[in-house]
């Protein structure tokens, strides 16, 4: 029983001989007995006031816990429950926010104080990346929110890829691929057949079946000469062109050289 476990710990019995399962997480030990979980802290004392059906590993100072009669919550390293309410699903913290689910509402985020971030609930949400999180509205499509829970794009998209180096890829089924910046603005008036991540200030793109280099300000340059296809003040060095394009081609396992 749990009482017997406490007595064994008090009498110096090794932890692994007391509990059915043991996992260490820094200075804490997650332990299981009779299908229930708790945490041992300094002096092998129990951190949590109650036992849970499961305790996940800590992420950014919090651990997800589940109780079949209540739902899902998070606890801090002192064993205190973060949220006043229980959810139907909870994910670990990432960039200061954790995803939560209410079966009757949808998905949202909570912050480190356990407060819900967004005024509205979504059909699904993804973890934050570079300060932005993708969200899905089943009637509209995909958008991004910032750390204040505000949608950054004026329109919704059919597909997306997370922010990397300040830009996110977005897709319109009738147009193709583009990039948005941290303000939610599309950087190019053109839409592309395929796009790759930015490297050294440029992204390789395919436009009407041909490779080009797209600059962060939306200027499109010829992949062979580095010159803007329209009048512009900038030109890309030949060595950078070859390296960037060949890296993309190598990633695609294509045997092609400029």
């Amino acid at each position: 029983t749990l009482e017997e476990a406490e007595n064994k710990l008090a009498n110096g019995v090794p932890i692994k001989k007391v509990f059915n399962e043991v996992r260490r997480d820094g200075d804490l030990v997650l332990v299981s007995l009779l299908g229930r979980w708790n945490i041992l802290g300094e002096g092998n004392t129990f951190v949590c006031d109650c036992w849970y059906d499961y305790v996940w590993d800590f992420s950014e100072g919090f651990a997800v816990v589940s109780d079949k009669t209540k739902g899902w919550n998070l606890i801090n390293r002192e064993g205190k429950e973060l949220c006043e309410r229980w959810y139907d699903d909870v994910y670990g913290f990432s960039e200061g926010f954790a995803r939560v689910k209410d079966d009757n509402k949808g998905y949202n985020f909570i912050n480190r104080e356990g407060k819900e971030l967004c005024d509205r609930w979504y059909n699904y949400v993804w973890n934050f990346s570079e300060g932005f999180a993708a969200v899905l509205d089943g009637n509209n499509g995909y958008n991004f929110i910032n750390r204040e829970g505000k949608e950054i794009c004026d329109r919704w998209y059919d597909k997306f890829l997370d922010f990397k180096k300040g830009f996110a890829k977005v897709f319109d089924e009738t147009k193709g691929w583009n990039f948005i910046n941290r303000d939610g603005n599309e950087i190019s008036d053109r839409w592309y057949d395929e796009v790759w991540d930015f490297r050294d200030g440029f992204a390789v793109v395919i436009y009407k079946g041909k490779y080009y280099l797209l600059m962060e300000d939306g200027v499109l340059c010829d992949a062979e000469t580095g010159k803007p296809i329209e009048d512009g003040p900038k030109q890309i060095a030949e060595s950078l062109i070859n390296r960037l394009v060949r890296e993309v081609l190598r990633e695609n396992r294509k045997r092609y050289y400029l």
Side-chain angles (χ1 to χ4, degrees):
T1 66
L2 300 180
E3 183 177 351
E4 290 173 342
E6 292 178 344
N7 291 333
K8 289 180 181 179
L9 289 174
N11 291 324
V13 177
I15 294 175
K16 290 185 178 181
K17 292 186 177 182
V18 177
F19 299 100
N20 304 125
E21 188 173 348
V22 174
R23 299 201 321 271
R24 291 194 174 273
D25 192 319
D27 59 341
L28 301 178
V29 182
L30 285 62
V31 295
S32 171
L33 182 65
L34 304 175
R36 303 284 283 172
W37 285 81
N38 206 321
I39 300 174
L40 294 178
E42 186 177 355
N44 285 344
T45 58
F46 290 108
V47 170
C48 304
D49 294 332
C50 63
W51 290 71
Y52 299 98
D53 288 309
Y54 198 77
V55 178
W56 278 257
D57 292 339
F58 281 85
S59 174
E60 297 187 9
F62 297 90
V64 176
V65 295
S66 65
D67 185 305
K68 60 185 177 183
T69 63
K70 297 179 181 179
W72 299 67
N73 207 326
L74 292 118
I75 58 172
N76 61 20
R77 297 187 72 85
E78 288 73 46
K80 303 301 180 183
E81 292 171 2
L82 176 63
C83 306
E84 294 181 358
R85 60 158 292 185
W86 290 72
Y87 294 93
D88 296 304
D89 205 353
V90 172
Y91 300 79
F93 270 89
S94 176
E95 292 194 12
F97 297 95
R99 295 179 288 162
V100 295
K101 180 187 180 185
D102 183 310
D103 284 343
N104 296 317
K105 298 179 179 179
Y107 287 84
N108 206 329
F109 291 92
I110 56 171
N111 60 22
R112 294 177 182 275
E113 287 73 46
K115 305 298 182 183
E116 292 167 2
L117 176 65
C118 305
D119 295 332
R120 59 170 295 186
W121 294 72
Y122 296 94
N123 292 95
Y124 197 74
V125 297
W126 283 259
N127 280 336
F128 275 82
S129 173
E130 297 188 3
F132 299 93
V135 296
L136 170 65
D137 182 304
N139 295 320
N140 295 306
Y142 300 93
N143 207 324
F144 287 89
I145 61 169
N146 58 24
R147 296 178 64 85
E148 287 72 47
K150 306 300 181 184
E151 295 163 4
I152 67 169
C153 303
D154 293 333
R155 57 155 297 181
W156 296 74
Y157 297 95
D158 298 308
K159 295 180 184 178
F160 77 95
L161 288 171
D162 280 332
F163 272 87
K164 289 185 178 180
K165 298 183 179 180
F167 298 92
K169 302 172 188 174
V170 292
F171 181 77
D172 183 308
E173 289 182 350
T174 63
K175 298 178 180 180
W177 288 93
N178 207 331
F179 290 93
I180 59 169
N181 58 24
R182 294 179 180 275
D183 296 319
N185 298 322
E186 296 163 3
I187 70 168
S188 176
D189 293 332
R190 299 178 179 86
W191 291 77
Y192 302 96
D193 305 323
E194 199 164 354
V195 296
W196 284 264
D197 293 334
F198 275 92
R199 302 179 185 180
D200 300 316
F202 309 95
V204 176
V205 299
I206 297 179
Y207 180 61
K208 295 183 178 180
K210 182 180 177 181
Y211 283 92
Y212 291 88
L213 295 181
L214 180 67
M215 302 174 70
E216 291 182 353
D217 59 5
V219 174
L220 192 63
C221 298
D222 189 280
E224 295 184 4
T225 65
K227 296 180 180 180
I229 63 174
E230 297 172 350
D231 292 338
K234 300 178 181 178
Q235 183 169 341
I236 306 172
E238 181 178 357
S239 60
L240 180 59
I241 294 171
N242 291 334
R243 180 170 65 82
L244 287 174
V245 176
R246 285 176 178 173
E247 283 180 3
V248 168
L249 295 175
R250 185 165 57 249
E251 289 173 1
N252 289 345
R253 299 178 182 177
K254 296 178 180 177
R255 295 184 177 180
Y256 177 83
Y257 299 90
L258 294 177

